[in-house]
Amino acid sequence: MDKEVVINKQKLKLTNLDKLYWPDEKITKGDLIEYYREVSKYILPYLKDRPQSLNRYPNGIKGKNFFQKDVGNMPPDWVSTYKILSESTNKKVNYIVCRNEATLLYMVNLGCIEINPWSSRIQSLETPDYLAIDLDPEGISFDSVVETALAVKEVLDEAEISSYCKTSGKTGMHIFIPLKAKYNFEITKEFAHIIAKITHDKVPGITSLERSPSKRKKKVYIDFLQNNIGQTLAAPYSVRPSPGAAVSTPLLWKEVKRGLDPHDFNIKNTSKRISKIGDIFYDVLRKGTDIEKKLKKLDYA
DNA sequence: GATGGAC
DNA sequence: GTCCATCAACGCTAT
DNA sequence: ATAGCG
Ligand SMILES: [Mn+2]
Ligand SMILES: [Mn+2]
């Protein structure tokens, strides 16, 4: 039922460990916590020093969920938090900042099946560490997502831009470009927009840049608007609150081909996969990209 | 999941 | 002590 | 200002 563990020298209460978070698959909250303990070494670099947007499912994937950013003074002392002024409400929001395994498990115990970090760190909130291209299919096959991802890859390869790809764990894929916190969100977003437009021109039949779902039926939405402060995507190695407990899994580009099935990467087998092949996203937080130079190479009028 | 008031 | 109601987002874009 | 989106 409940258990107290010591991690990072902190006593942490883990509760309701036998609650069925995925009733059909018989996967419990305890299984979820066990997964995050196993992969913590690999997921933590993508959470470190980043404000966390909580998406809580305290009663599992079939229960009601809610978002939480402001944790007030709810967490114990040893959980790092950071207050950020919200532009829209003019109120200070006290975010959890994940810095270690104990904090990760604290969040998971709150019902966070998925982990949603900001793309910027508190040391440099205005400059993201990576650019994200988010591929969201709207009533179209996953093979079309794959085809779109490969089109993006082709565009980036032509300009010799390094890119890294993962399943979202739901229905789409994410492509990351390392930036080393060198550009603000406005420049990053404009760059992402250009990549999206060139890709759309390459495969106009299966893609769309329309924001309204009704205007992009049966297309893959090339979502470049996640490149804004505080906009999040599920982290690499995050579990998703979806059937089968799929995991957002980094892939080798050679694995991105027709027939790829995102359900093949899930809470049951991802830990083993990582131990075997390591972290495919390793360079995302280490390399950079010279946007000015690459813009010239893209040569987009 | 945590809190607090009613019972 | 138990039960139950209540609470827990935000930034951007287009109109 | 507000609706829609993720
Ligand atoms: Mn997506
Ligand atoms: Mn999206």
Side-chain angles (χ1 to χ4, degrees):
Chain A
M1 199 45 160
D2 292 5
K3 192 164 72 176
E4 188 165 88
V5 296
V6 178
I7 297 173
N8 304 128
K9 298 181 181 172
Q10 303 302 336
K11 277 188 187 169
L12 171 62
K13 274 198 175 74
L14 302 173
T15 57
N16 301 304
L17 296 176
D18 50 4
K19 190 182 274 190
L20 280 170
Y21 266 21
W22 284 263
D24 295 343
E25 296 85 350
K26 303 260 190 295
I27 298 171
T28 65
K29 185 182 180 187
D31 296 331
L32 179 67
I33 289 175
E34 181 57 28
Y35 166 80
Y36 278 115
R37 292 192 75 161
E38 285 174 11
V39 305
S40 68
K41 173 185 158 193
Y42 293 96
I43 191 174
L44 278 169
Y46 304 99
L47 313 182
K48 195 172 179 334
D49 298 338
R50 300 171 195 283
Q52 303 293 320
S53 181
L54 311 185
N55 183 8
R56 297 175 56 187
Y57 288 77
N59 291 301
I61 67 165
K62 302 215 170 165
K64 268 220 146 40
N65 73 299
F66 60 93
F67 293 90
Q68 184 172 23
K69 299 188 175 185
D70 193 355
V71 295
N73 52 16
M74 168 180 72
D77 295 347
W78 52 266
V79 171
S80 295
T81 62
Y82 190 81
K83 291 188 181 73
I84 299 172
L85 185 71
S86 160
E87 302 288 343
S88 61
T89 63
N90 213 38
K91 284 198 153 65
K92 284 187 176 174
V93 175
N94 200 29
Y95 286 85
I96 287 182
V97 174
C98 190
R99 307 197 121 118
N100 55 35
E101 181 180 355
T103 301
L104 169 60
L105 299 186
Y106 173 76
M107 293 193 290
V108 177
N109 189 60
L110 289 177
C112 296
I113 291 172
E114 60 177 26
I115 305 297
N116 294 292
W118 284 31
S119 60
S120 57
R121 287 162 291 113
I122 57 174
Q123 294 88 343
S124 51
L125 282 175
E126 304 292 334
T127 52
D129 292 305
Y130 47 83
L131 177 157
I133 302 285
D134 173 25
L135 303 180
D136 294 329
E138 188 72 32
I140 189 170
S141 69
F142 194 78
D143 277 342
S144 298
V145 177
V146 167
E147 197 178 328
T148 304
L150 292 174
V152 173
K153 165 78 165 151
E154 213 173 284
V155 169
L156 299 177
D157 279 354
E158 281 166 23
E160 298 177 282
I161 297 166
S162 300
S163 60
Y164 303 82
C165 180
K166 63 188 180 79
T167 62
S168 76
K170 291 234 182 193
T171 59
M173 296 187 83
H174 300 152
I175 297 167
F176 282 18
I177 297 170
L179 294 178
K180 272 255 166 180
K182 211 164 168 288
Y183 304 96
N184 63 25
F185 281 99
E186 186 183 347
I187 291 170
T188 303
K189 184 173 33 185
E190 282 175 10
F191 189 43
H193 192 183
I194 288 168
I195 293 165
K197 283 189 284 193
I198 299 174
T199 304
H200 174 56
D201 289 346
K202 256 181 141 66
V203 280
I206 57 167
T207 61
S208 169
L209 300 181
E210 284 287 351
R211 239 152 53 94
S212 164
S214 59
K215 290 182 182 171
R216 53 168 141 102
K217 285 199 165 73
K218 306 193 175 181
K219 302 276 195 241
V220 176
Y221 175 43
I222 306 174
D223 183 357
F224 60 92
L225 290 171
Q226 292 302 110
N227 297 290
N228 278 315
I229 189 164
Q231 298 296 110
T232 62
L233 292 174
Y237 309 113
S238 171
V239 181
R240 304 305 302 276
S242 54
V247 167
S248 181
T249 304
L251 302 172
L252 299 168
W253 273 110
K254 69 179 182 191
E255 295 178 292
V256 182
K257 57 187 188 201
R258 201 157 41 85
L260 179 70
D261 185 350
H263 300 104
D264 287 344
F265 307 93
N266 56 59
I267 198 171
K268 299 280 189 209
N269 58 24
T270 297
S271 173
K272 194 177 294 178
R273 173 183 160 92
I274 307 174
S275 330
K276 195 170 164 190
I277 66 178
D279 179 18
I280 291 169
F281 266 36
Y282 184 84
D283 284 336
V284 169
L285 299 179
R286 288 172 180 78
K287 284 190 168 183
T289 299
D290 185 334
I291 290 186
E292 293 91 338
K293 193 167 107 189
K294 301 306 184 186
L295 272 174
K296 285 178 192 155
K297 285 206 178 198
L298 283 174
D299 194 31
Y300 185 80

